[in-house]
Amino acid sequence: MTQAKLIKAEWVGADLSGATLTGAKLYSTSRFGLKTEGMICEWIDLSPSGDRSIIQKFNTEASREFFNETPPTIRIVIDKPLDHEANFAIAGAYHQIAQQYRELKQPPSMEIGRRRTVFTFRVDSDLNLLPTAYMAILPFQDSTTTQNNIRTLLAIIKSEKVPHITSFTPQHCHQLTTLVEQVIENTAVIKELINILKITTKINFFQAPTQTTLTNSSAQSLIIHAHPQFGRFIDNYDINASKNVGNSLSNTKAIIPSASMIVDFIKGFHYISS
């Protein structure tokens, strides 16, 4: 498989034991859950066109780690089962968001239970976790609090000088903060989307408490928002109940992960070195 062109190939769970992948073209190729015993790979080509403009070099341990990363995901758990009306609305909502935010490449996978619904978004890079979460939560009443938490996390990352205490280099810090700030500062797009998504304010499902969890490529998780009423299931949860809960919690301080938790989470990020 030396210098094989595998751009955008889907090979989750493939057996690469004993294979030689040096020079393979692997731009946007899923590399999760692979069997890599005895695999040889000194470098790979991660450039979009396979022209070697982006090369990732490895030692033995680094290549094994690279090809066994956990896919970075955003998990939004809603304390209400998805019904047909909400299903129709969420499909339209994420279609509209994807028109403005291209990193939302696919609809989320869904798990629908009797009491809860779980949306899971998979992203291509750890660096896309925070900005994608900022957009993915937009249809829900919890969006304001969740987005405020993301802004707070960004401020903590800057203030804690993470690049000086982890492998998170100044370049990586700049990449992350730029991606998040680009989303946050695009207020015109956010306002337009909020206007388009007003239909969700009339549907009970979107008013239910949520919990948003990020999982990085080292399989470390970080809860960036959990509604104070999350897990306290309210049967026949309706908009009026949601408003009452919202009013009673208006003065409740948001719970933010500690600086040490954030630093540990960022330590688990993987990067492409060019």
Side-chain angles (χ1 to χ4, degrees):
M1 297 180 72
T2 301
Q3 299 193 34
K5 187 173 183 179
L6 298 168
I7 293 174
K8 296 185 179 180
E10 183 66 44
W11 60 354
V12 174
D15 188 350
L16 301 177
S17 301
T20 300
L21 282 177
T22 299
K25 298 173 175 58
L26 299 178
Y27 172 75
S28 194
T29 300
S30 297
R31 57 183 188 276
F32 310 115
L34 303 173
K35 297 179 181 179
T36 59
E37 185 176 355
M39 184 189 73
I40 299 171
C41 186
E42 297 178 0
W43 62 273
I44 56 173
D45 182 350
L46 293 175
S47 58
S49 59
D51 60 5
R52 301 190 183 184
S53 58
I54 302 176
I55 296 296
Q56 177 83 50
K57 297 180 180 179
F58 300 113
N59 56 35
T60 302
E61 185 59 35
S63 66
R64 188 177 298 114
E65 185 178 89
F66 181 85
F67 286 102
N68 283 281
E69 293 176 10
T70 301
T73 59
I74 299 145
R75 188 170 183 261
I76 301 175
V77 185
I78 303 97
D79 249 354
K80 189 170 177 65
L82 185 72
D83 58 23
H84 290 294
E85 181 183 29
N87 187 41
F88 179 79
I90 198 65
Y94 283 134
H95 172 72
Q96 293 295 334
I97 292 171
Q99 299 305 302
Q100 302 293 338
Y101 182 66
R102 294 298 181 179
E103 290 302 323
L104 197 67
K105 296 177 179 178
Q106 292 182 320
S109 62
M110 299 184 188
E111 300 172 40
I112 306 169
R114 294 178 61 188
R115 293 178 53 168
R116 286 183 178 172
T117 303
V118 181
F119 291 164
T120 303
F121 298 84
R122 198 170 91 176
V123 296
D124 292 336
S125 164
D126 289 311
L127 293 174
N128 287 327
L129 284 168
L130 285 170
T132 303
Y134 194 93
M135 299 300 288
I137 196 64
L138 267 175
F140 298 92
Q141 180 173 277
D142 271 357
S143 61
T144 300
T145 306
T146 306
Q147 290 174 336
N148 285 341
N149 287 1
I150 290 173
R151 286 193 286 268
T152 302
L153 291 182
L154 191 64
I156 291 173
I157 290 170
K158 290 180 176 181
S159 66
E160 288 297 313
K161 301 186 184 301
V162 174
H164 299 294
I165 57 176
T166 74
S167 58
F168 190 58
T169 68
Q171 180 184 3
H172 297 147
C173 183
H174 177 71
Q175 285 179 301
L176 174 60
T177 55
T178 298
L179 287 171
V180 179
E181 287 171 350
Q182 283 176 345
V183 171
I184 292 173
E185 292 171 2
N186 202 346
T187 53
V189 169
I190 298 293
K191 286 180 179 178
E192 180 181 349
L193 285 171
I194 289 173
N195 189 52
I196 292 172
L197 300 179
K198 277 184 178 178
I199 185 175
T200 62
T201 64
K202 302 175 183 178
I203 299 174
N204 293 339
F205 177 79
F206 299 97
Q207 320 311 314
T210 66
Q211 180 188 73
T212 300
T213 305
L214 310 182
T215 300
N216 64 24
S217 57
S218 295
Q220 296 169 298
S221 294
L222 184 73
I223 298 174
I224 60 171
H225 171 68
H227 191 289
Q229 293 294 318
F230 180 80
R232 303 178 187 179
F233 181 77
I234 302 175
D235 198 17
N236 296 321
Y237 200 95
D238 60 27
I239 291 175
N240 290 329
S242 172
K243 287 179 178 177
N244 291 335
V245 169
N247 291 335
S248 67
L249 296 170
S250 59
N251 296 320
T252 302
K253 187 176 181 180
I255 299 174
I256 305 294
S258 67
S260 62
M261 292 171 65
I262 296 168
V263 169
D264 286 342
F265 184 71
I266 291 174
K267 281 182 181 179
F269 281 19
H270 289 92
Y271 308 95
I272 294 173
S273 58
S274 53

